[in-house]
Amino acid sequence: MHTHAQTGPAGRRAGGLPGDLAGDLAGDLAAIVGRDHVRTDDGALAAYARDATPLFHARPQAVVLPGSTDEVAAVLRYATERGVPVVPRGAGSNLCAATVPLRGGIVMVLTRLDRILEVSPAELLARVQPGVTTAALADAAAREGLLYAPDPGSRTVSTVGGNVATCAGGLRGLKYGVTRNHVLGLEAVLPTGEVIRTGGRLWKDVAGYDLTRLLTGSEGTLAVITEATVALLPAPEETGTGVAYFDSLADASRAVAAVIADGIVPATLEFLDRKCVSAVEEFAGLGLRRDAGALLLFGDDGSRRTVAGTLARIGEVCGASGALEVTLAEDVARSDALLAARRCSLPALSRLGSLTILEDATVPRHRLAEMVDRIDEIADRHGLRIATFGHAGDGNLHPTCVLDPDDGEGADRAHRAFAEIFAAAIALDGTITGEHGVGAAKLPYLADRIGDDQVALLRRVKQAFDPAGILNPGKLGS
Amino acid sequence: MHTHAQTGPAGRRAGGLPGDLAGDLAGDLAAIVGRDHVRTDDGALAAYARDATPLFHARPQAVVLPGSTDEVAAVLRYATERGVPVVPRGAGSNLCAATVPLRGGIVMVLTRLDRILEVSPAELLARVQPGVTTAALADAAAREGLLYAPDPGSRTVSTVGGNVATCAGGLRGLKYGVTRNHVLGLEAVLPTGEVIRTGGRLWKDVAGYDLTRLLTGSEGTLAVITEATVALLPAPEETGTGVAYFDSLADASRAVAAVIADGIVPATLEFLDRKCVSAVEEFAGLGLRRDAGALLLFGDDGSRRTVAGTLARIGEVCGASGALEVTLAEDVARSDALLAARRCSLPALSRLGSLTILEDATVPRHRLAEMVDRIDEIADRHGLRIATFGHAGDGNLHPTCVLDPDDGEGADRAHRAFAEIFAAAIALDGTITGEHGVGAAKLPYLADRIGDDQVALLRRVKQAFDPAGILNPGKLGS
């Protein structure tokens, strides 16, 4: 997390184009996509200077909304020839400043490419353009009795292209994996304009290096995704949810270990610490217990009989692990309410301050409580309010810092605290980002996690795709 | 499939080293790994000239068996400095000539690195050296009540390093996915000697490009894998199997579609065509019906109740789809016998001729019958015996050509027939290899599947890892 906006991690000034070139830019882009789909007005440039990440912003010279793969290719060829930066983006709901145009240039918005091209129950797949929202894809699948498993928190606004570009996770990751596990094939345009098709409609395909997975999570630095073929599953007959309260996160963490040791890998195992439970209860009034030290939300899906059996067994294991109280949702409405408790953690916390920084770190699941203790200690030492919730099943934590409106240099203290939190995660065999991505926000910490030799290798891989370095410069591979 | 051994796809002669350099080689390698672990005798050079792929062979100058990551790194640095080809291999059980040293040089055998470093029930993972066999890993997991899901046909001899390098599949791919879905992290040595660690112990980790998946399936052309961390699952309570006979593969294929449409994704859905059933029955005497046009083997695992329910339902669906007969295995012994029927397809067919060429093509699952019809037509036209079995659930076919001992130019005809088969698979939205890999055998067909632009991109990616081009030259990325 950087507090110095307008500069990239290397401190270079944003807005890399000389004035005359910037002047031509709009006209040149209009010749490719049509005048209606190029924006250079102040409002647009200000809006696309930011994504959902606080504190980062940098204005582009132009915003372009291509309407076809050919137009994407033409813009990229043009940009490579002129050395103009291009930052592809969907909804911009990422939380790592992955789509802030650090070096200016063009923001390429892919939301006009929003068609669901195909949903095939026979082949258990869907083919969509990148601007389709995650929720729209999930709904289209559901109408055919199918499930699109990845469910990032931002699913109602986030796009499939963005999900693929960041390898988005979500609440069902433990059982179903993340976006990478569900992408079968991609159409993508290289910065030099070539259109490639990776993978396809098949579950098994080893013809060539796995570029499908390499592009998944590459954060718009290697190619622009113009179509995705994703795997669907038969929709489960039933989904059920339960909640357990514990004295402490250490107890909740032991219960998670006991569930896994019992041979159960449920779809969902989420936790909220005491501070989160309090904020959510204040915000949503769901009747949550505010005296408990931690809340564990568990859920599974499958056949009616299996779900009932699994939830009952998880409840027993939680009880045996010292839960203060265990409740199984008796119906879908109550189940949805409990899931809403988890999903509204961020808005609930956001209400508490003027600035909310939601972070993302992951540790091996049995070290979750240890990590939250470290976070609390770091927060206290820096005089910060950091509440933590996240995916207990896969050790993915979202420590969330809420700053008071009158805390002048709070953002700087938060910056220093998060640097310590990432170091602590790495020391516990964890990582600096489980599902949000590296973007500009985490790039300063990347070498600590993967080493200088691997960072150098990423740069060479980036060069293999993007010899002119125009695609999302200042991010991964820079 | 090439019939001209000793030459790479580009027709270059094997054995690229000048005589004097070859003379030094053994001594230089011995200085790194010790005299006992370098072989230059005729027996060793002849043995490591081949892998399990028929018709391909090319002698290396030396065989080296490193005993540590440091030794791997030292050999690679040496090879990069001198421009000596290095072909990493495990058991050499691959079927695409992935480990034939087309350009001579060094074959690096990783079977001395055969330690299981860790099996963690708490973290549901294992950490192993690359020379551990798939079966040894699976057994170690089973002893802790855990499942290593990938189960390639060669599992008793194939190594985990080889499985990762080829992204091996197997009989449980439909429900569990292939090797890529189960690799969490890798230690790998770059051709230039740097040791990198990708991924780690986490289910969610997006710090950097997904090199874990890029190396998985890279067939020893980008780096040498020296350690793998793989995901394990709680072992299912029960595994069950059933068999259904059909008049034709078209009927069996319709039954597969009906099973999926019924919302069932079982662990196993395998098929044998009439020719395979006949050969297996002759070989193993399992009491299979030889009058049927196709055999469908289905299996699932999970809780006792779920498995019984799923198998009964699949049986009903097969019956409703026109099965001649459906039998559920009444016990584990019978279940194992049925799975053995599938697993022994290759040895059973091998008995019928002097040369058996087992191939690998994949089409969308609903086009399976269409593809087998195309294969039969092509085989008849070329006067060849090609029987087909494979993974019906994911459309992965293994057409297997058995040549008569006295069929002089049979291999050339088989070569032409398989070229047509791969073209047919591509035309049906399929691929030239679902799980065996590209190697030297499929490289001539790769551009037909992924296009010239993507082949050029693979070359640039290869160069980013291997600037001197020493690692497994003449294969992927060449």
Side-chain angles (χ1 to χ4, degrees):
Chain A
M1 194 212 50
H2 271 277
T3 53
H4 305 287
Q6 297 283 357
T7 64
R12 230 169 102 181
R13 294 290 301 168
L17 287 183
D20 54 341
L21 190 51
D24 294 341
L25 193 57
D28 292 342
L29 293 174
I32 298 172
V33 300
R35 186 167 305 277
D36 289 351
H37 305 299
V38 180
R39 303 277 301 272
T40 52
D41 55 292
D42 257 5
L45 300 186
Y48 289 102
R50 299 173 185 274
D51 54 28
T53 322
L55 303 174
F56 285 82
H57 53 97
R59 279 164 76 99
Q61 268 78 36
V63 177
V64 60
L65 294 97
S68 68
T69 300
D70 285 347
E71 289 182 3
V72 170
V75 171
L76 290 175
R77 267 194 304 271
Y78 167 86
T80 282
E81 275 163 24
R82 309 290 179 102
V84 182
V86 177
V87 178
R89 69 170 254 172
S93 52
N94 76 84
L95 293 164
C96 63
T99 51
V100 173
L102 294 179
R103 310 268 195 269
I106 301 164
V107 169
M108 179 186 278
V109 185
L110 295 150
T111 48
R112 279 181 68 212
L113 299 174
D114 64 351
R115 280 186 305 143
I116 295 176
L117 302 168
E118 183 183 2
V119 177
S120 168
E123 294 188 63
L124 290 181
L125 59 80
R127 202 159 50 84
V128 300
Q129 290 189 312
V132 170
T133 65
T134 320
L137 166 59
D139 290 347
R143 282 194 292 276
E144 301 286 346
L146 300 170
L147 173 74
Y148 177 62
D151 65 338
S154 51
R155 58 196 293 285
T156 52
V157 295
S158 68
T159 63
V160 176
N163 288 174
V164 173
T166 56
C167 189
L171 266 63
R172 285 193 286 244
L174 182 58
K175 180 171 170 177
Y176 289 110
V178 293
T179 300
R180 98 161 59 86
N181 302 105
H182 303 274
V183 183
L184 297 174
L186 297 172
E187 180 189 82
V189 186
L190 302 184
T192 36
E194 301 97 314
V195 179
I196 61 170
R197 294 196 76 98
T198 72
R201 308 170 73 86
L202 308 167
W203 268 243
K204 283 178 170 174
D205 188 353
V206 291
Y209 298 142
D210 190 351
L211 299 190
T212 306
R213 248 60 53 177
L214 182 61
L215 292 179
T216 303
S218 65
E219 302 182 7
T221 65
L222 299 180
V224 177
I225 295 161
T226 47
E227 191 185 298
T229 305
V230 299
L232 305 175
L233 292 162
E237 191 179 48
E238 178 138 313
T239 300
T241 308
V243 66
Y245 294 94
F246 295 87
D247 263 335
S248 67
L249 251 173
D251 285 353
S253 184
R254 265 191 296 275
V256 168
V259 168
I260 301 285
D262 202 59
I264 305 172
V265 180
T268 297
L269 264 182
E270 302 287 309
F271 77 97
L272 279 70
D273 74 359
R274 184 194 305 267
K275 293 176 266 187
C276 277
V277 173
S278 241
V280 166
E281 185 53 27
E282 209 149 290
F283 177 70
L286 295 160
L288 305 179
R289 270 179 78 151
R290 300 173 64 162
D291 62 327
L295 179 158
L296 191 67
L297 189 74
F298 51 89
D300 203 16
D301 52 20
S303 73
R304 198 151 292 135
R305 229 165 42 174
T306 305
V307 170
T310 304
L311 292 194
R313 181 68 196 143
I314 296 176
E316 281 169 31
V317 173
C318 284
S321 303
L324 301 173
E325 180 188 333
V326 178
T327 317
L328 304 186
E330 65 278 8
D331 54 30
V332 172
R334 185 64 194 156
S335 185
D336 285 350
L338 288 175
L339 284 171
R342 164 61 183 82
R343 288 199 189 272
C344 74
S345 299
L346 178 57
L349 290 167
S350 296
R351 286 205 322 166
L352 304 180
S354 60
L355 177 67
T356 309
I357 303 166
L358 171 61
E359 264 304 344
D360 173 44
T362 305
V363 293
R365 94 168 61 78
H366 69 293
R367 310 192 87 163
L368 190 75
E370 202 177 337
M371 183 66 201
V372 176
D373 281 349
R374 292 282 294 126
I375 292 171
D376 287 346
E377 182 272 315
I378 291 165
D380 288 348
R381 188 153 37 75
H382 288 274
L384 292 165
R385 280 198 291 175
I386 299 185
T388 303
F389 62 94
H391 316 290
D394 34 42
N396 188 194
L397 303 102
H398 294 310
T400 303
C401 182
V402 184
L403 291 170
D404 295 325
D406 56 352
D407 189 348
E409 37 70 76
D412 283 339
R413 286 202 326 279
H415 184 186
R416 290 195 295 274
F418 277 117
E420 290 184 33
I421 287 171
F422 301 141
I426 293 171
L428 294 176
D429 271 336
T431 189
I432 58 171
T433 173
E435 59 180 7
H436 287 179
V438 174
K442 301 291 189 75
L443 199 61
Y445 311 104
L446 185 62
D448 293 340
R449 168 64 181 151
I450 67 172
D452 291 330
D453 285 337
Q454 197 170 163
V455 168
L457 179 58
L458 297 196
R459 282 198 192 107
R460 297 196 297 275
V461 170
K462 158 87 171 165
Q463 231 172 354
F465 281 79
D466 183 14
I470 58 141
L471 212 49
N472 209 355
K475 313 289 175 62
L476 266 185
S478 295
Chain B
M1 194 216 50
H2 270 279
T3 54
H4 305 289
Q6 298 281 356
T7 64
R12 227 170 104 184
R13 294 292 300 169
L17 288 182
D20 54 340
L21 189 52
D24 294 342
L25 192 58
D28 292 342
L29 293 173
I32 298 171
V33 300
R35 186 166 304 278
D36 289 352
H37 304 301
V38 180
R39 303 276 302 271
T40 53
D41 55 292
D42 257 5
L45 300 186
Y48 289 102
R50 298 170 186 276
D51 55 28
T53 322
L55 302 175
F56 285 82
H57 53 96
R59 279 163 78 98
Q61 268 79 36
V63 177
V64 61
L65 294 98
S68 69
T69 300
D70 285 347
E71 289 182 3
V72 170
V75 171
L76 290 175
R77 270 195 302 272
Y78 168 86
T80 281
E81 276 163 23
R82 309 291 178 100
V84 182
V86 177
V87 178
R89 68 170 255 171
S93 52
N94 75 83
L95 293 164
C96 64
T99 51
V100 172
L102 294 179
R103 310 268 196 269
I106 300 164
V107 169
M108 179 186 277
V109 185
L110 294 149
T111 48
R112 280 181 68 212
L113 299 175
D114 64 351
R115 279 186 306 143
I116 295 176
L117 301 168
E118 183 183 2
V119 176
S120 168
E123 293 188 64
L124 291 181
L125 60 78
R127 202 160 50 84
V128 301
Q129 290 189 311
V132 170
T133 65
T134 321
L137 166 58
D139 290 348
R143 281 194 293 276
E144 303 285 344
L146 300 171
L147 173 74
Y148 178 63
D151 64 339
S154 52
R155 57 196 296 283
T156 53
V157 294
S158 68
T159 63
V160 176
N163 288 173
V164 173
T166 56
C167 189
L171 266 63
R172 287 193 285 245
L174 182 58
K175 180 170 169 179
Y176 290 109
V178 294
T179 299
R180 99 161 59 86
N181 302 103
H182 303 272
V183 182
L184 296 174
L186 295 173
E187 179 189 84
V189 186
L190 302 184
T192 36
E194 301 97 315
V195 179
I196 61 170
R197 296 195 75 98
T198 71
R201 307 171 73 87
L202 308 168
W203 266 245
K204 281 177 171 176
D205 187 354
V206 291
Y209 297 143
D210 190 351
L211 299 190
T212 306
R213 248 60 53 177
L214 182 60
L215 292 180
T216 302
S218 66
E219 302 182 5
T221 64
L222 299 181
V224 176
I225 294 160
T226 48
E227 192 184 299
T229 305
V230 298
L232 305 175
L233 291 163
E237 193 179 48
E238 177 139 315
T239 300
T241 309
V243 64
Y245 294 94
F246 294 87
D247 262 336
S248 68
L249 252 172
D251 286 354
S253 184
R254 265 191 296 275
V256 167
V259 168
I260 300 285
D262 202 60
I264 306 172
V265 179
T268 297
L269 264 182
E270 302 286 310
F271 76 96
L272 281 68
D273 73 0
R274 184 195 302 268
K275 292 175 266 187
C276 277
V277 174
S278 241
V280 166
E281 185 52 28
E282 209 150 289
F283 177 69
L286 295 160
L288 306 178
R289 270 178 78 150
R290 300 174 63 163
D291 61 327
L295 179 158
L296 190 68
L297 189 74
F298 50 90
D300 202 15
D301 53 20
S303 74
R304 198 150 292 134
R305 228 165 43 175
T306 306
V307 171
T310 305
L311 292 193
R313 183 67 195 143
I314 296 177
E316 282 169 31
V317 173
C318 284
S321 302
L324 299 174
E325 181 188 331
V326 179
T327 317
L328 304 186
E330 66 277 7
D331 54 29
V332 173
R334 185 63 195 159
S335 188
D336 286 350
L338 288 176
L339 284 171
R342 165 61 183 81
R343 287 200 190 271
C344 74
S345 299
L346 179 56
L349 290 167
S350 296
R351 286 206 323 167
L352 303 181
S354 58
L355 178 67
T356 309
I357 303 166
L358 171 61
E359 264 305 346
D360 173 43
T362 305
V363 292
R365 91 168 64 77
H366 69 292
R367 309 192 88 163
L368 191 76
E370 202 176 336
M371 184 65 200
V372 175
D373 281 349
R374 291 284 294 127
I375 291 171
D376 287 345
E377 181 272 314
I378 291 166
D380 288 347
R381 188 153 36 75
H382 288 275
L384 292 165
R385 281 198 289 175
I386 299 184
T388 303
F389 62 96
H391 316 290
D394 32 44
N396 187 195
L397 302 103
H398 295 309
T400 302
C401 181
V402 184
L403 291 170
D404 295 325
D406 56 352
D407 190 347
E409 38 70 76
D412 283 338
R413 283 198 335 272
H415 184 184
R416 290 196 295 274
F418 277 117
E420 290 185 33
I421 287 170
F422 300 140
I426 292 170
L428 294 175
D429 271 335
T431 189
I432 58 171
T433 172
E435 59 180 6
H436 287 179
V438 174
K442 300 289 188 76
L443 199 60
Y445 311 104
L446 185 61
D448 294 339
R449 167 65 181 149
I450 67 173
D452 290 332
D453 285 337
Q454 196 170 164
V455 168
L457 179 58
L458 297 195
R459 283 199 192 107
R460 297 196 298 276
V461 170
K462 158 84 173 168
Q463 231 171 356
F465 281 78
D466 183 15
I470 59 141
L471 212 48
N472 209 356
K475 313 288 173 63
L476 267 185
S478 293

